[in-house]
Each structure stands twice: as structure tokens, then as C-alpha cells.
Amino acid sequence: MGRRFDCSNPEQKAEGLKEATEAVRRGELVVLPTDTVYGIGADAFTPAAVAALLDAKGRGRDMPPPVLVGTVRAATALVDDLGPYGQDLIDAFWPGALTLVCKANRALSWDLGDTKGTVAVRMPLHPVTLDLLKETGPMAVSSANRSGAPAATTAEDAEAQLGESVAVYLDGGRTTDNTPSTILDLTTAVPRLLRRGAIPVEKLRGIIGYVATDD
């Protein structure tokens, strides 16, 4: 069974971050708190670990996970081009609940699934996860639940669904907002909203002007 660490306790938090970092480097899975819901994560550059993440969730390669980063610099290294709007959106909403879909850096050797040459990237606003990401580097992270089941808002929720497939559970308490991140596609000439979420489309338009939606 995966070990769970109470990150409200400074000693357990330090031990948990150390154990989680080592687990990620071994290609194992960890559960971590974010500013939206709990996530299940793996080293983005270890294909077997990403495959294990998808398997733990009951997902196929047709639903590749987003990548979480601990710094803006790490994000820019993953993408080919932020386009004319990416940096302004990052300045306005990161760290936070905005996921940006960009063309992936073609020089990188990784396999997130059937991405069609893109990557969905986000810098979350959660101190525990930012500390972890600064140690591990970019992580493939998806919501910590079985596909089709409710998103996990506590570490206990995640453990009940994912069990022994996860090596380390970082318990950051109940998440304050279970609204998912807003997803915006920057790979087309006009930014397109792919999922409504915690950042309202009106706020996006306040930064970059026009945003295409399916409405």
C-alpha cells in the first residue's frame, strides 16, 4: 500500500516530499494536492510511468495527461512556441487554474500518449506541489480518480480509488475548490476554449481579446 504523508505536519511534509521525489525518479506514481482537485502524477519523461498512470486511471493513450511544472521556465522548455498570447496569459494567471495547450518541443524525447504534437501545460497554485515539481521537474498529472468517477478532493478519496497503484500520497487536506482548470488551445490562430473551468472566459478575454468558444 502506498504511504500517506500529512503535509500539515512540517516533519511529515519534508519526509513526504523526499519520498515522493524518489518515487517519481524510480518511475512510480504519486498523488498530490493541487489548487483544483487531487492529481496522480508521474515523471513526464518516463514512458512506462506515464503508461502506468493511464492504466491506474483506466484510460487509453487517446487521453494523454497534462504536464504540471514548477516554474515558467520549465514550461517554456516543453513547448515549441507560446504564440502571441501565451506569455500574457502566463503573466496573468500562473500559478493558477489555467491549462494552456501548445505545440510541443519536437526535440524532447517523451511519450504522453496520442498528443498529435501538442502538450497541455500548467503551473498549479499549491505550495506542496510546487515544492515537489521543483525537485522532480515536469510531471504528467491527471485527476486522481478512476476514469468516469468523481474527482478526488481529499487524499482519502484518491486512495480509495487508486489504492496500491500509487507509491506515495501527499495529503494536503481537502481541496478548497473542485472546479477543474480552464483549458485554452493556443495552437490555432485564434485561442479556443476547450474546457470551461476555474478561470472564466471573460477574464481570458480581458487579457487577450477574442477567445473562440463552441457557444
Side-chain angles (χ1 to χ4, degrees):
M1 188 63 111
R3 295 187 65 192
R4 176 145 42 105
F5 296 89
D6 179 1
C7 292
S8 67
N9 177 306
E11 290 183 0
Q12 282 205 38
K13 176 184 173 184
E15 184 181 1
L17 285 169
K18 179 175 179 291
E19 291 278 342
T21 300
E22 292 173 354
V24 171
R25 289 173 178 165
R26 289 193 300 266
E28 297 172 342
L29 305 179
V30 302
V31 158
L32 42 86
T34 78
D35 45 344
T36 55
V37 294
Y38 273 77
I40 177 174
D43 178 17
F45 295 98
T46 303
V50 176
L53 185 160
L54 293 173
D55 185 58
K57 283 184 61 72
R59 276 189 175 176
R61 287 175 52 83
D62 59 324
M63 299 183 73
V67 175
L68 296 191
V69 294
T71 64
V72 173
R73 189 177 195 177
T76 57
L78 299 180
V79 306
D80 184 48
D81 183 12
L82 285 171
Y85 308 106
Q87 191 61 54
D88 288 342
L89 289 164
I90 286 171
D91 292 343
F93 299 113
W94 279 16
L98 177 64
T99 299
L100 298 175
V101 177
C102 303
K103 291 178 181 175
N105 183 341
R106 287 168 289 183
L108 296 177
S109 176
W110 61 355
D111 183 4
L112 298 172
D114 298 333
T115 64
K116 299 180 175 64
T118 67
V119 60
V121 64
R122 180 165 93 87
M123 182 179 175
L125 181 58
H126 196 290
V128 171
T129 294
L130 286 174
D131 285 347
L132 177 63
L133 290 165
K134 286 169 185 173
E135 292 297 323
T136 62
M139 289 180 63
V141 179
S142 187
S143 56
N145 59 292
R146 292 286 295 175
S147 190
T153 57
T154 66
E156 291 90 341
D157 289 345
E159 192 168 6
Q161 295 192 53
L162 300 170
E164 296 183 8
S165 63
V166 173
V168 175
Y169 290 84
L170 296 178
D171 188 346
R174 183 174 294 277
T175 58
T176 56
D177 187 357
N178 62 1
T179 307
S181 68
T182 301
I183 302 179
L184 190 67
D185 185 356
L186 298 182
T187 65
T188 54
V190 176
R192 176 170 290 278
L193 188 71
L194 298 184
R195 181 177 73 189
R196 292 186 183 274
I199 307 294
V201 67
E202 293 77 17
K203 287 193 173 183
L204 301 177
R205 288 176 173 146
I207 299 298
I208 61 173
Y210 188 73
V211 173
T213 69
D214 288 334
D215 298 343

